[in-house]
C-alpha cells in the first residue's frame, strides 16, 4: 500500500464544475504539498500546508491532520485547469524525503 | 527573476555511457532537490542538499548515481554506465532553505528528459 493515496486517479469535468481531489496518507507528517503538472512536464507548487485551509484564487486546499487527509478544491473549473495534480507529504522525523502520490489527471472540457 | 534552470532539456545516450545533468537553482536558495519521474510513474526523491550540510542521498537508486553541489549553487547529477531503466525525466527543485527544506514551497525546473537506448 502506498503511503500517499490520491483519488480519483482520473477525473473529467465540464467547465464551471466544482472539483475535489483527495489525498490520504498513512505516515506522520510535518507538511503537505499540492503540485500541478501540465502536459510537457512543468511542475508548479500550488500549496504547502500543515494545518487548516489555504486559498489562492479559485483553488482551496484543506488538511485534517487527525484524519490524515487533505483535499484540493477547484471552483468554477476551466479547461486551463487540465493537468495532473500531485499530493506530496514531508514525513515527520529525521528524513528529508517528500513522499509523492501518483497524481490525479484532471481534464476539464469546455 | 530567473527560475530554476536545467540542462540539457533532452538527452539521448547509449546504454553504458555516463551522463551529467545540470541544475541552476534560484539565486539565494540554499536547499536543492533532485527527483526522477519515470514514464507512467510518480515522482521519486533522489537527493537533497541543504547549505553546507552533508546531502541526504537516501533516494539514490544505485551507486551508479551521484550528485554534487559546487559552491552551494549549481548541482550536477551524474549517472554512470546508464541502463535503459534510467530513462526518465529528472527534475530539480530549490527552496529558500530557511524552514528545513521540505516545509517550504519548492520551485521546480523544467526537467531533463533522459532516454537511454
Amino acid at each position: 500500500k502506498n503511503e500517499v493515496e490520491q483519488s480519483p486517479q482520473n477525473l473529467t469535468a465540464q467547465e464551471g464544475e466544482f472539483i475535489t481531489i483527495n489525498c490520504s496518507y498513512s505516515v506522520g507528517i510535518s507538511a503537505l504539498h499540492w503540485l500541478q503538472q501540465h502536459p510537457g512536464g512543468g511542475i508548479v507548487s500550488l500549496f504547502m500546508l500543515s494545518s487548516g485551509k489555504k486559498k489562492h484564487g479559485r483553488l482551496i486546499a484543506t488538511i485534517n491532520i487527525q484524519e490524515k487527509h487533505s483535499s484540493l478544491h477547484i471552483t468554477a473549473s476551466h479547461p486551463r485547469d487540465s493537468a495532473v495534480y500531485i499530493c506530496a507529504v514531508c514525513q515527520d522525523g529525521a528524513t528529508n524525503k517528500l513522499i509523492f502520490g501518483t497524481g490525479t489527471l484532471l481534464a476539464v472540457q469546455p | 527573476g530567473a527560475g530554476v534552470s536545467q540542462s540539457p532539456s533532452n538527452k539521448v545516450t547509449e546504454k553504458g555511457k555516463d551522463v551529467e545533468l545540470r541544475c541552476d537553482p534560484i539565486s539565494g536558495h540554499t536547499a536543492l532537490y533532485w527527483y526522477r519521474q519515470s514514464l507512467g510513474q510518480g515522482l521519486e526523491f533522489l537527493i537533497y542538499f541543504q547549505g553546507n550540510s552533508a546531502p541526504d542521498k537516501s533516494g539514490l537508486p544505485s551507486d551508479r548515481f551521484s550528485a554534487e553541489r559546487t559552491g552551494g549553487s549549481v548541482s550536477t547529477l551524474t549517472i554512470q554506465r546508464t541502463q535503459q531503466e534510467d530513462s526518465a525525466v529528472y527534475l530539480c527543485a530549490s527552496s529558500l532553505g530557511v524552514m528545513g527544506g521540505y516545509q517550504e514551497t519548492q520551485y521546480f525546473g523544467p526537467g531533463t528528459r533522459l532516454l537511454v537506448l
Side-chain angles (χ1 to χ4, degrees):
Chain A
K1 187 179 189 301
N2 293 336
E3 292 157 305
V4 181
E5 298 273 357
Q6 287 185 236
S7 64
Q9 289 186 321
N10 295 279
L11 180 57
T12 300
Q14 292 299 121
E15 183 173 357
E17 286 185 357
F18 180 84
I19 290 164
T20 296
I21 299 171
N22 296 298
C23 176
S24 296
Y25 51 91
S26 57
V27 296
I29 69 168
S30 56
L32 182 144
H33 297 248
W34 280 103
L35 310 171
Q36 180 191 55
Q37 186 171 31
H38 277 285
I43 292 179
V44 174
S45 178
L46 299 175
F47 295 102
M48 193 278 296
L49 64 165
S50 54
S51 65
K53 174 180 173 179
K54 286 190 176 180
K55 184 177 189 291
H56 181 70
R58 295 180 295 105
L59 302 179
I60 303 166
T62 64
I63 188 168
N64 185 318
I65 295 294
Q66 287 73 31
E67 294 186 2
K68 296 187 174 177
H69 181 269
S70 175
S71 292
L72 176 68
H73 305 286
I74 305 175
T75 61
S77 59
H78 190 275
R80 65 175 174 267
D81 298 326
S82 299
V84 176
Y85 292 84
I86 302 167
C87 171
V89 301
C90 175
Q91 190 172 1
D92 260 343
T95 65
N96 290 311
K97 298 179 187 180
L98 269 182
I99 305 171
F100 295 89
T102 53
T104 295
L105 176 59
L106 171 65
V108 181
Q109 297 178 341
Chain B
V4 178
S5 61
Q6 292 186 244
S7 60
S9 53
N10 293 280
K11 177 72 176 179
V12 181
T13 191
E14 294 179 348
K15 178 182 172 180
K17 295 281 181 67
D18 297 353
V19 295
E20 284 190 351
L21 312 179
R22 176 186 168 106
C23 171
D24 281 274
I26 292 172
S27 178
H29 282 191
T30 62
L32 186 147
Y33 321 76
W34 282 99
Y35 301 103
R36 177 170 73 173
Q37 187 172 36
S38 302
L39 186 63
Q41 299 191 18
L43 282 154
E44 173 188 16
F45 165 83
L46 295 178
I47 189 169
Y48 162 66
F49 294 90
Q50 172 56 61
N52 295 322
S53 302
D56 179 350
K57 304 179 181 180
S58 58
L60 295 178
S62 78
D63 59 8
R64 296 186 296 105
F65 288 72
S66 63
E68 63 178 19
R69 190 176 184 193
T70 54
S73 181
V74 171
S75 178
T76 302
L77 177 69
T78 301
I79 309 173
Q80 296 179 308
R81 304 181 302 282
T82 52
Q83 303 294 312
Q84 288 179 332
E85 61 263 27
D86 299 334
S87 297
V89 176
Y90 289 82
L91 290 152
C92 175
S94 70
S95 70
L96 278 170
V98 173
M99 291 293 293
Y102 281 105
Q103 298 182 43
E104 302 173 327
T105 297
Q106 296 186 27
Y107 298 85
F108 286 79
T112 294
R113 294 182 181 274
L114 174 66
L115 177 61
V116 182
L117 300 175

